[in-house]
Structures are given as C-alpha cells and as structure tokens.
Amino acid sequence: METADRLVPALELRGISKKFGRVTALEGVDLTARSGEILAIVGDNGAGKSTLIKAISGIYRPDDGEILVDGQSSTFTSPADARAAGIATVFQDLALVECLDVSTNMFIGQLPKKGWFVDRKRMDAESRRFLDELKVTVADVHTQIGMLSGGQRQIIAIARAVRAGARTVLLDEPTAALGVRETKHAADIITALREAGNAVIVVSHDIEFVFAFADRIQVMRLGRVAGVRKTAETTREEIISLITGTKQEATA
Ligand SMILES: Nc1ncnc2c1ncn2[C@@H]1O[C@H](COP(=O)(O)OP(=O)(O)OP(=O)(O)O)[C@@H](O)[C@H]1O
Ligand SMILES: [Mg+2]
C-alpha cells in the first residue's frame, strides 16, 4: 500500500460541512478515497453517512469545504456534474426502468444508433461484455428489470455506473435489503470494481461485511469523523467504540 499512499487520491474531501436549518449533519469532514481500494463508511443512525454520500454525488451542496477529484478542486451543482467527473452513486432505490430490459437500462441516455435506429446488436453485445467483466450472471440481457430480484437489480445498477465511465463508485447500504446469496454477489461485484481500479466508497451497517471487504474504515459520529483505520490494523471492538463514542478499555 505504500506506493498507493503516495498517489493523488481519486477523491478527497476537505472540511465538508452541511447544515439543515439548525441541524448540523456534517462538520469539517475529511475523506480520502484511492483507486483500487474499498473505503467503508460506518456510524450510528443519523451520523451523517447518507448526507456525506449526497454531498459527494452532487445532490446536496456543502455549506463549506472542498471536493477534489484527481487532485482538482471541483464543484458539483447537480448529480449530472458528479457523474461527468466520474463519480457514480448507487442508492438503495436504484432508478432503473422496470419495464425495460437489462441491456436498454445499461445504455439509458446513451443508446447506440445505427442510422435512425437503436443498434440493438451492439448494445446487447456490449452489455454482455460488461456483465461478464463484472462476473454478473444474468442469463439473458433481454430480461425485463421488473423480473429481477433486488440484488440482481443492484448489480445491474452498479454495472451501468461502471459502463458510464465511473472511476469512483459510491454505494449507500448496498446489502441492507439483500439475502445471503445476494450479499455475497454484491460483495463479489464490489471486489471486481476495486480490481478494475475504481475507488469504491461503501456505507454499511454490516460490520462483518465491512471487515471482510473494506481496506479502510472511516467512522462517522454526530456529523464528524470519529476515526479512520486500516482494516488490517483495527478490531471490531475499536470500531464499535468509535461508533458509540465510548472509551476503549485497556484491558482485554
Ligand atoms: N434533508 C434533510 N433535512 C433535514 N435534516 C436532515 C436531512 N437529511 C438528513 N438530515 C439530518 O442530518 C443528520 C444526518 O443524517 P443522515 O441521513 O446523513 O444519517 P445517516 O448516517 O445516513 O443515518 P442512517 O444510518 O440512519 O442512514 C440527521 O440528524 C438527520 O436527521
Ligand atoms: Mg443513511
């Protein structure tokens, strides 16, 4: 990791603050996300995790602070701005079109044309290739999204984000509504995204999932960063004590 540490981060936040009326949702939040790394964001309900994801993805405009993409200071006034900067967000409500099939959903907004017509063959072949690359097992790219399970939809949404050229992928609670098999699948996809050189930021309440897959863990508490740890150098006890704000006992 030493060489990666010296590279310019794919995404960096410095002193991000966000208030909703009198509620301070974020206060002076720093964050660093690197290519080829999974950063988990954990914290209690209301700690500011979703607000942080929304500030990065252009849904909320921070009141204060700076966002740097590949070392360049950036301002996002809309989700489209963030997408154009290579930041893709997968929310729990996935914004896929239920009545359209897998491959059309993958290409929404950028349908390939052949003369006047949609180039269906190219679209299907490219969808297949992207799904294969991510090791996604969808039998037929003509399957309507409405026929897929929650987990399969999630995976299509991630694949679409990657196809659209994202280099930083944000996921808010990707495993919250998933079964055991689907959680494993989502984990495989997240790992594939990392291996493809993306920076992956994942909000999760699932401490076992976090310890199994994250390279680093950032703990949020009451809108502030309570700590950042390398997964290999911390314990569940330490992370939980950072989440709850209790002091860690010196005894074993
Ligand atoms: N749109 C909003 N308007 C007003 N207050 C908000 C808004 N969004 C979030 N908040 C407040 O900001 C704080 C942080 O909320 P946020 O949703 O970011 O928490 P979270 O860490 O994602 O929690 P959870 O684990 O429950 O998803 C909370 O006190 C919340 O009530
Ligand atoms: Mg949330």
Side-chain angles (χ1 to χ4, degrees):
M1 287 313 285
E2 244 109 71
T3 46
D5 284 350
R6 269 182 243 117
L7 295 175
V8 176
L11 178 77
E12 197 179 347
L13 307 187
R14 292 182 190 161
I16 294 290
S17 297
K18 178 71 188 171
K19 276 193 180 148
F20 295 107
R22 275 196 234 140
V23 177
T24 302
L26 298 174
E27 176 80 47
V29 173
D30 296 342
L31 177 151
T32 302
R34 299 191 181 89
S35 300
E37 187 190 71
I38 298 172
L39 173 70
I41 299 183
V42 302
D44 226 335
N45 296 114
K49 305 177 300 292
S50 292
T51 305
L52 186 59
I53 294 295
K54 288 175 181 166
I56 301 170
S57 57
I59 292 167
Y60 293 150
R61 188 90 184 263
D63 300 326
D64 212 346
E66 201 181 5
I67 299 177
L68 296 100
V69 177
D70 295 323
Q72 302 284 319
S73 187
S74 310
T75 308
F76 305 142
T77 54
S78 71
D81 275 358
R83 272 200 300 274
I87 295 168
T89 311
V90 180
F91 296 102
Q92 204 55 62
D93 49 354
L94 297 164
L96 295 172
V97 184
E98 299 227 352
C99 61
L100 296 177
D101 62 28
V102 168
S103 100
T104 309
N105 264 285
M106 295 270 294
F107 278 85
I108 266 172
Q110 305 162 292
L111 293 173
K113 293 283 175 62
K114 197 172 180 182
W116 292 84
F117 303 101
V118 171
D119 189 348
R120 180 84 226 189
K121 250 191 178 160
R122 195 182 127 202
M123 196 165 84
D124 289 348
E126 279 191 34
S127 296
R128 187 80 267 169
R129 189 166 60 76
F130 270 101
L131 294 174
D132 287 347
E133 244 171 56
L134 288 172
K135 303 183 183 85
V136 178
T137 46
V138 172
D140 186 352
V141 292
H142 296 123
T143 310
Q144 275 189 19
I145 290 292
M147 305 295 287
L148 300 179
S149 74
Q152 288 172 319
R153 290 182 205 203
Q154 184 121 33
I155 283 152
I156 302 299
I158 297 170
R160 181 177 64 175
V162 177
R163 202 207 67 77
R167 282 167 298 111
T168 300
V169 183
L170 315 177
L171 303 110
D172 196 352
E173 299 284 2
T175 62
L178 303 185
V180 173
R181 250 189 78 210
E182 289 173 338
T183 298
K184 161 95 175 58
H185 205 166
D188 289 347
I189 299 283
I190 289 168
T191 307
L193 285 173
R194 168 177 61 187
E195 278 163 16
N198 295 280
V200 181
I201 300 176
V202 49
V203 173
S204 182
H205 273 108
D206 183 343
I207 205 93
E208 293 310 318
F209 177 85
V210 165
F211 269 84
F213 296 101
D215 298 290
R216 286 187 304 126
I217 304 170
Q218 174 151 346
V219 183
M220 299 293 299
R221 187 174 140 71
L222 304 173
R224 295 167 183 270
V225 181
V228 185
R229 297 286 186 273
K230 288 184 178 169
T231 309
E233 295 171 3
T234 188
T235 60
R236 287 159 180 74
E237 291 70 33
E238 187 187 25
I239 293 299
I240 288 163
S241 75
L242 287 169
I243 291 171
T244 56
T246 55
K247 244 169 108 191
Q248 210 183 0
E249 299 299 326
T251 51

